[in-house]
C-alpha cells in the first residue's frame, strides 16, 4: 500500500492543476445540486420490529385519511388571576382563536376545548388540539405563522397562551461557537507549523471536503428522507477528521523535507507513510459509522452512512489534494524545525544542527514525556486507569430517553406549554399512550374493546382512559390512556409494559390484539432496541476493527490494548455526559437549561464514533513506534521515538478535534449539544489519557512481546506496509532488506 500511495502522492504533486480542478468541480457540482434540490420532506422516524411501530402502521391501514404522521399542536390557554376559562370573555377569545386556526389550508382538524372536555378541573387552563395534514418539517411557513399569530391575538386579549407540539419544529441552529471551534483549530495549526500557509492547507481541504459532503447530503435529503441533524453531524465529524488527516500528512511532509529530500519526493513519502495511516484510520471510522445499521433504526443508519461518506471524502482529499496544494505552496511550507519569522527565529536552511557543532539537541516535550513513562510505566498505568474509572462512575446511574418538550429550555413556548398542561391536567397528560385494539380476529369486537378499556382502568398509574373509538369497519379501535407520571419516568415505562402484559391475557380470551403506541411508547421502544443492539454492535465493530489493526500492526496485543483503552475512554465520557446532562454538574457553563435522561441513542452513537476516532490516534502514534521498532530500535527506545515524531502532531490533532466538537455545544438542538460535548470529552480522555499515557506504559511493560505475532498468522496476513519500508533505499536500510521483518518475528 505504501508504494501505491507514494506514487499517488507524487502524481498529485506533479499534476496539481488537474487534481485541484477535479475537487473544485466536485464542490461546484455538489453545491449546484444542493441549491437546486427540493426542500427536505418528512424525515420519518420508524423503528421496525417494535410494537409501537406495528401499531402505527396498523393505524395508517385501518384509519385511512387520519394523517397519523401529521404534525400536531396544542394551544394552551391560561386565564388571568382570579378568572376562569369558562368566563364569557375568555371563552369568546378561545372560540375565535379556534375558528382562526381551522381556516388554515393544511389544518386537518381543531378540537374546541369546551366541547372536548379540555378544560382543567379548576377552570383556569384549557387547550385546543390542532391536527395537520403534513408533518412538522413539511409545514409551510405561512401555516406556522398563522399558528403563532392566532396565539398572539389571544395574548393581546389578556390570556396567557403557549404552543406545544411538533408543528413549530425548526431546523436546529449550531450557534457562533461552531465558528469559534474552527478559529481555535486555525490557531493550533499556526502554532504547530509556525506558518500561515502550512496551517491553512488542512483548514482549506477540510472545508472543501465538508462542503462536498454536506452539499451532497442536502441534495439527496428529499429523496432519502434525511433529517437536518444528519448534515450537522456529518459536518461535525467531517471537519474534525478532515483537519486531522491533512495535519498528519503535512507534518510528515515537513519531516521529510527536514531529511533533505526534494519536495516531490517528500510529498510522495508523506502520502506513502502518513497516508497509509490515514487510510486505515479512516477505515476504522467508516466501519464504526456504517456499523450503526446493526441497530435497524433507519434514521440512525442514514446518519451513520452520511457521516461515513464525509469521512471517506476527507481521506481522499488528504491523499490527493494535500500533495497538490503542497506543490502550489512550494518553499512557503518549510521543513520541520524551520518555522521562519512567524513564531521567532528557527534554524536556517544549511545552518548546522547543535549535534553537528558539538552540542546536544534539546529533546522535545513528547520525548521527555515518553522517557518518563518508560521509566515509570506501572505508576502511569495505574494512575490513568484509576482516573478514567473515577470519571466513569456516574455512568452507573445512566437513564435513557428521547427528548420531548419537557427537555426544552424554559424560554421556549413549547416548554411553557408543557408546564401549563402539567399544572392543569397532571404530568402524564404530556405523554398520553395510544392503545390500538385489533379485533379483526374476534367474534365480538365491541366487547373486546370494552374489555381492554376496563382492564387498563384497573391498572396502577392510570389517571384516565377515554372510551374506545372504533374505525368505520368496526374491527379496530383506539383508546387514549393518561398516566399519572411524566413521559420520561420509569413509572410510565412500567405502565406501558403492564398494558402489554395484560394484552396477552385479553388476546387469549377474546382474540383481539392489543398494541401500545404514541410518542411515549415509541421512545420506550427505541431505548430498549438500542440497549439490545449495543452488545452485538460492539462485537461487530470492535471485532472488525481488531482484525484490521492486526493487519496494520502485525501484532495481537497492540490491537487488544487499543480496544480495551477505548472502552475505558468511552465509559469515562459517558460518565461525564451523565454528570452534566443528567445530574446537572456544570450545566450552566454548558448551556444546559434542563437536566433529564440522556438521549437513548447517545451510548451506541458515542461508541461508534469514539471508537473510530480513538483508533485514529492509535494508528498515527503507534505506527511511528512500530516503524522505529522494525527499523532496528529496541522496544523502549521505539516508544520514545514514536512520541518524538508523533506526540506534537497527535496533541494538535486532538485539540483541534475537541475544539470542533465543542463548537457544537452551542446548538439549539439538545441532541447535537449532547453529542458535541460527549465527543469532545471522549477525545480528551482517549487522546491525552489513553493514547498518551496508558498506551506507552503498556508497551513499555510488554517490551518485545507487544509486537509478537504467530509465524503462521504472519505468513497468512497481507503485507500492507504501513511503515513505508518498501520506500526505503538500500542505503537507508543499511542491512539486508529482510532484516527488519526478522526483528519483528524474533
Amino acid at each position: 500500500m505504501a508504494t501505491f500511495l507514494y506514487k499517488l502522492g507524487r502524481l498529485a504533486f506533479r499534476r496539481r492543476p488537474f487534481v485541484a480542478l477535479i475537487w473544485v468541480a466536485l464542490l461546484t457540482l455538489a453545491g449546484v445540486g444542493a441549491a437546486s434540490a427540493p426542500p427536505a420532506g418528512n424525515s420519518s422516524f420508524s423503528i421496525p420490529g417494535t410494537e409501537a411501530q406495528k401499531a402505527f402502521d396498523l393505524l395508517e391501514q385501518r384509519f385511512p385519511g387520519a394523517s397519523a404522521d401529521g404534525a400536531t399542536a396544542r394551544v394552551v390557554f391560561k386565564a388571568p388571576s382570579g378568572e376562569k376559562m369558562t368566563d364569557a370573555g375568555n371563552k369568546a377569545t378561545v372560540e375565535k382563536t379556534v375558528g382562526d386556526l381551522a381556516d388554515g389550508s393544511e389544518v386537518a382538524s381543531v378540537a374546541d376545548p369546551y366541547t372536548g372536555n379540555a378544560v382543567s378541573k379548576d377552570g383556569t387552563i384549557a387547550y385546543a388540539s390542532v391536527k395537520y395534514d403534513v408533518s412538522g418539517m413539511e409545514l409551510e411557513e405561512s401555516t406556522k405563522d398563522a399558528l403563532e399569530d392566532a396565539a398572539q391575538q389571544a395574548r393581546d386579549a389578556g390570556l396567557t397562551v403557549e404552543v406545544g407540539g411538533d408543528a413549530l419544529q425548526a431546523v436546529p441552529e449550531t450557534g457562533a461557537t461552531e465558528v469559534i471551534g474552527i478559529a481555535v483549530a486555525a490557531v493550533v495549526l499556526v502554532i504547530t507549523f509556525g506558518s500561515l500557509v502550512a496551517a491553512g492547507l488542512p483548514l482549506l481541504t477540510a472545508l472543501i471536503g465538508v462542503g462536498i459532503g454536506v452539499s451532497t447530503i442536502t441534495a439527496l435529503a428529499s429523496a432519502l428522507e434525511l433529517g437536518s441533524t444528519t448534515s450537522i453531524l456529518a459536518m461535525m465529524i467531517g471537519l474534525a477528521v478532515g483537519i486531522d488527516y491533512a495535519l498528519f500528512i503535512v507534518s510528515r511532509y515537513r519531516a521529510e523535507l527536514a531529511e533533505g529530500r526534494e519536495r516531490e519526493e517528500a510529498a510522495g513519502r508523506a502520502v506513502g507513510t502518513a497516508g497509509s495511516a490515514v487510510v486505515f484510520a479512516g477505515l476504522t471510522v467508516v466501519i464504526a459509522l456504517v456499523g450503526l445499521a446493526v441497530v435497524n433504526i433507519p434514521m440512525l443508519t442514514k446518519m451513520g452512512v452520511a457521516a461515513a461518506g464525509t469521512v471517506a471524502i476527507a481521506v481522499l482529499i488528504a491523499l490527493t489534494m494535500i500533495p497538490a496544494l503542497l506543490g502550489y505552496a512550494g518553499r512557503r511550507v518549510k521543513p520541520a524545525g524551520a518555522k521562519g519569522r512567524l513564531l521567532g527565529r528557527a534554524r536556517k536552511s544549511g545552518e548546522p544542527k547543535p549535534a553537528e557543532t558539538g552540542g546536544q539537541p534539546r529533546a522535545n516535550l513528547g520525548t521527555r514525556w515518553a522517557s518518563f513513562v518508560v521509566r515509570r510505566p506501572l505508576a502511569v498505568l495505574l494512575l490513568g486507569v484509576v482516573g478514567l474509572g473515577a470519571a466513569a462512575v456516574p455512568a452507573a446511574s445512566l437513564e435513557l430517553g428521547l427528548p420531548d418538550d419537557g427537555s426544552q429550555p424554559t424560554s421556549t413556548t413549547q416548554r411553557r406549554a408543557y408546564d401549563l398542561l402539567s399544572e392543569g391536567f397532571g404530568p402524564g397528560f404530556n405523554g398520553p399512550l395510544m392503545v390500538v385494539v385489533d379485533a379483526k380476529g374476534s367474534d365480538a369486537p365491541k366487547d373486546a374493546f370494552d374489555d381492554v378499556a376496563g382492564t387498563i382502568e384497573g391498572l396502577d398509574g392510570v389517571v384516565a382512559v377515554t372510551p374506545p373509538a372504533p374505525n368505520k369497519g368496526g374491527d379496530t379501535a383506539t383508546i387514549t390512556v393518561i398516566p399519572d407520571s411524566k413521559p420520561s419516568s420509569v413509572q410510565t415505562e412500567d405502565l406501558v409494559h403492564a398494558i402489554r402484559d395484560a394484552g396477552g391475557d385479553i388476546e387469549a380470551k377474546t382474540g383481539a390484539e392489543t398494541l401500545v403506541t404514541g410518542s411515549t411508547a415509541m421512545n420506550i421502544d427505541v431505548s430498549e432496541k438500542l440497549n439490545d443492539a449495543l452488545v452485538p454492535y460492539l462485537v461487530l465493530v470492535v471485532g472488525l476493527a481488531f482484525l484490521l489493526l492486526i493487519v496494520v500492526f502485525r501484532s495481537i496485543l497492540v490491537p487488544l490494548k487499543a480496544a480495551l483503552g477505548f472502552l475505558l475512554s468511552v465509559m469515562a465520557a459517558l460518565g461525564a455526559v451523565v454528570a452534566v446532562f443528567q445530574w446537572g454538574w456544570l450545566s450552566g457553563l454548558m448551556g444546559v437549561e434542563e437536566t433529564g435522561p440522556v438521549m437513548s441513542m447517545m451510548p451506541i452513537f458515542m461508541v461508534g464514533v469514539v471508537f473510530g476516532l480513538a483508533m485514529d490516534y492509535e494508528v498515527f502514534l503507534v505506527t511511528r513506534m512500530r516503524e522505529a521498532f522494525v527499523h532496528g530500535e529496541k522496544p523502549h527506545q521505539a516508544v520514545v521515538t514514536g512520541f518524538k515524531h508523533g506526540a506534537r502532531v497527535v496533541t494538535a490533532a486532538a485539540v483541534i478535534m475537541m475544539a470542533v466538537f465543542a463548537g457544537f455545544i452551542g446548538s439549539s438542538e439538545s441532541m447535537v449539544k449532547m453529542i458535541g460535548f460527549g465527543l469532545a470529552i471522549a477525545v480528551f480522555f482517549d487522546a491525552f489519557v489513553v493514547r498518551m499515557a496508558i498506551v506507552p506504559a503498556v508497551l513499555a511493560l510488554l517490551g518485545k512481546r507487544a509486537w509478537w505475532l504467530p509465524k503462521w498468522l504472519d505468513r497468512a496476513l497481507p503485507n500492507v506496509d504501513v511503515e513505508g519500508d518498501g520506500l526505503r533505499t538500500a542505503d537507508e536500510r543499511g542491512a539486508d532488506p529482510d532484516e527488519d521483518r526478522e526483528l519483528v518475528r524474533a
Side-chain angles (χ1 to χ4, degrees), residues 271-591:
V271 176
T273 52
S276 298
V278 165
V279 169
F280 282 100
L283 273 176
T284 58
V285 180
V286 169
I287 288 172
L289 291 171
V290 174
L292 290 170
V294 172
V295 185
N296 195 26
I297 294 180
M299 185 188 78
L300 195 59
T301 300
K302 293 173 185 177
M303 287 168 57
V305 171
T310 308
V311 171
I313 293 172
V315 171
L316 292 174
I317 283 186
L319 297 178
T320 56
M321 195 168 186
I322 282 293
L325 293 179
L326 288 172
Y328 280 118
R331 297 186 179 278
R332 288 186 290 272
V333 177
K334 300 182 180 299
K339 294 184 180 178
R341 298 177 181 177
L342 186 62
L343 295 178
R345 182 185 181 276
R347 180 174 55 84
K348 296 179 181 178
S349 177
E351 183 178 329
K353 299 178 183 179
E356 296 170 355
T357 59
Q360 290 295 326
R362 184 173 181 269
N364 62 22
L365 182 60
T367 302
R368 296 198 299 273
W369 168 250
S371 299
F372 169 78
V373 174
V374 166
R375 289 196 304 270
R376 296 175 177 81
L378 189 59
V380 172
L381 176 61
L382 290 176
L383 185 62
V385 171
V386 171
L388 291 178
V393 168
S397 303
L398 178 66
E399 295 178 7
L400 298 177
L402 286 177
D404 54 19
D405 285 348
S407 61
Q408 296 271 7
T410 53
S411 58
T412 62
T413 186
Q414 293 96 325
R415 172 59 189 276
R416 291 196 291 264
Y418 180 97
D419 292 339
L420 283 176
L421 288 172
S422 295
E423 176 187 340
F425 301 93
F429 198 80
N430 283 293
L433 305 176
M434 179 177 287
V435 178
V436 181
V437 185
D438 180 7
K440 199 166 188 178
S442 175
D443 296 332
K446 188 176 183 307
D447 293 340
F449 300 154
D450 294 337
D451 196 358
V452 171
T455 301
I456 294 175
E457 278 185 313
L459 296 176
D460 294 335
V462 175
V463 171
V465 177
T466 64
N471 64 346
K472 290 182 179 180
D475 58 0
T476 307
T478 59
I479 301 171
T480 301
V481 180
I482 307 298
D484 66 0
S485 52
K486 63 181 182 178
S488 58
S489 67
V490 176
Q491 291 85 351
T492 301
E493 183 177 347
D494 291 340
L495 176 60
V496 170
H497 290 303
I499 295 173
R500 288 173 173 171
D501 291 341
D505 296 333
I506 294 172
E507 184 174 8
K509 182 171 63 175
T510 66
E513 184 179 12
T514 303
L515 305 170
V516 184
T517 189
S519 60
T520 301
M522 188 81 79
N523 291 350
I524 292 170
D525 286 351
V526 168
S527 297
E528 292 180 351
K529 191 176 183 68
L530 288 166
N531 285 337
D532 293 342
L534 185 57
V535 173
Y537 176 71
L538 269 174
V539 171
L540 174 68
V541 173
V542 177
L544 288 176
F546 180 78
L547 296 176
L548 185 65
L549 292 179
I550 289 178
V551 174
V552 174
F553 296 127
R554 306 193 77 81
S555 164
I556 298 294
L557 296 180
V558 170
L560 180 62
K561 172 262 311 167
L564 294 177
F566 151 74
L567 291 176
L568 273 175
S569 59
V570 79
M571 288 304 298
L574 276 176
V577 169
V578 170
V580 173
F581 290 89
Q582 188 174 308
W583 292 359
W585 293 4
L586 302 177
S587 57
L589 180 64
M590 298 297 165

Side-chain angles (χ1 to χ4, degrees), residues 111-133:
D112 189 312
Y114 302 102
T115 59
N117 193 27
V119 180
S120 63
K121 290 182 180 179
D122 62 4
T124 60
I125 297 175
Y127 70 91
S129 295
V130 186
K131 183 75 174 176
Y132 294 91
D133 292 322

